Amino acid sequence: MPPYEDALPHLAAGKSADEEDLIIRRRYRLARKFMPPSGEILLDFGCGTGAQTLLFAPHFPVTIGVDINIRSLERLKAAADARVPQRCVGPVYYDGIRLPLGRSSVDYAISFEVLEHVTDEQEALDELSRVIRPGGVLVLSVPNRWWIFETHGADLPLLPWNRVPFFSWLPKRLHDRYARARNYTRTEIVRKIEHVGFTVLESVYVTAPMDVVKWSPLRNALRKTFFRSDWTRLAPLATAILTVAKRDGGGT
């Protein structure tokens, strides 16, 4: 059986994270310790408007943000000019098929909540493998199948509310029939990344940030108790899985 499923025809486009979202700071803190000490080029695959990109950009002389949305890239450029003018931040349009970058041209790549939206998972991972140099690092996060709610919603018959509890726990074939984005188990995403030439260094559950809870007293209480840490050992408390991997061929 091939390691990748066919593309889902009803996948929704991703939504860029906002600067104030706790989830982008959690990802940054978890990923930062794996930054190469002498890295030159950072790639953000699926950068959106760049709220996440600009947390990482100060650590690299050159940052490349790729996305399929031209307006998002324009917003990234404007934000970069205002916030990190001393760094080179280049927005690059991506056609959804081939990254416009040379082989082994990237030292460190990040991609947060993007893979679940792409038309072809294998093609996207193959392209990341192609452009990351041997020994370079990929940090990738995807939705966790065992989170209580479907994070991207689903087009369910007769149900106007699209975030039905435990829908994401259904068998994959049934879930993918209605969901607006894929989700993953930790074993599944590790296997997919290893399949394209990486060695996984770490894979953790990212604790739910509870940004969707609008009543601030409840949101703050949850963040101080069950959802306090950036990562958790309990899959049902995590919205995402963050995996760090080294491109094979770079030695020790």
Side-chain angles (χ1 to χ4, degrees), residues 1-241:
M1 180 178 179
Y4 302 97
E5 291 76 22
D6 294 334
L8 307 181
H10 53 283
L11 293 179
K15 177 184 178 296
S16 295
D18 295 323
E19 288 184 38
E20 64 271 16
D21 289 349
L22 175 59
I23 190 64
I24 70 170
R25 297 192 296 278
R26 285 192 163 165
R27 295 169 186 155
Y28 171 74
R29 289 191 290 260
L30 290 169
R32 184 173 179 177
K33 65 181 178 178
F34 294 97
M35 290 182 188
S38 58
E40 295 292 324
I41 298 178
L42 163 71
L43 167 66
D44 188 350
F45 177 73
C47 62
T49 56
Q52 186 83 72
T53 316
L54 296 182
L55 285 179
F56 289 83
H59 300 281
F60 295 84
V62 177
T63 295
I64 301 169
V66 302
D67 203 275
I68 62 172
N69 189 308
I70 294 177
R71 290 186 178 180
S72 292
L73 293 172
E74 291 172 348
R75 290 179 61 185
L76 166 61
K77 178 60 175 173
D81 290 345
R83 290 174 52 187
V84 287
Q86 75 281 14
R87 297 298 190 195
C88 176
V89 179
V92 175
Y93 175 71
Y94 167 56
D95 64 5
I97 300 173
R98 185 172 177 83
L99 286 169
L101 301 171
R103 182 178 299 276
S104 302
S105 60
V106 171
D107 299 288
Y108 186 89
I110 57 176
S111 183
F112 299 119
E113 318 303 294
V114 175
L115 189 66
E116 65 271 20
H117 298 287
V118 301
T119 301
D120 189 318
E121 287 178 301
Q122 182 168 11
E123 190 169 60
L125 289 171
D126 282 341
E127 280 295 281
L128 285 168
S129 179
R130 179 181 66 82
V131 303
I132 298 172
R133 65 169 175 81
V137 171
L138 169 66
V139 182
L140 182 146
S141 71
V142 293
N144 169 34
R145 182 169 300 158
W146 305 122
W147 173 233
I148 298 170
F149 295 97
E150 174 58 50
T151 56
H152 294 86
D155 296 314
L156 298 171
L158 305 178
L159 290 173
W161 190 53
N162 62 38
R163 295 184 185 272
V164 177
F166 304 107
F167 171 77
S168 59
W169 292 24
L170 293 175
K172 183 173 180 60
R173 186 175 298 276
L174 183 58
H175 169 271
D176 289 356
R177 180 177 178 182
Y178 297 106
R180 295 175 181 170
R182 304 176 184 90
N183 63 17
Y184 303 81
T185 65
R186 190 161 62 177
T187 299
E188 181 182 6
I189 191 59
V190 166
R191 175 174 56 86
K192 288 179 183 291
I193 292 172
E194 290 178 338
H195 179 78
V196 294
F198 288 88
T199 296
V200 170
L201 305 177
E202 184 169 281
S203 187
V204 299
Y205 292 113
V206 184
T207 308
M210 306 311 291
D211 291 328
V212 297
V213 178
K214 301 305 180 185
W215 189 43
S216 58
L218 176 58
R219 181 175 64 245
N220 294 337
L222 290 170
R223 286 178 174 177
K224 290 177 181 179
T225 53
F226 300 106
F227 303 94
R228 181 177 181 178
S229 175
D230 289 335
W231 68 279
T232 177
R233 297 183 187 278
L234 302 176
L237 298 183
T239 55
I241 303 162

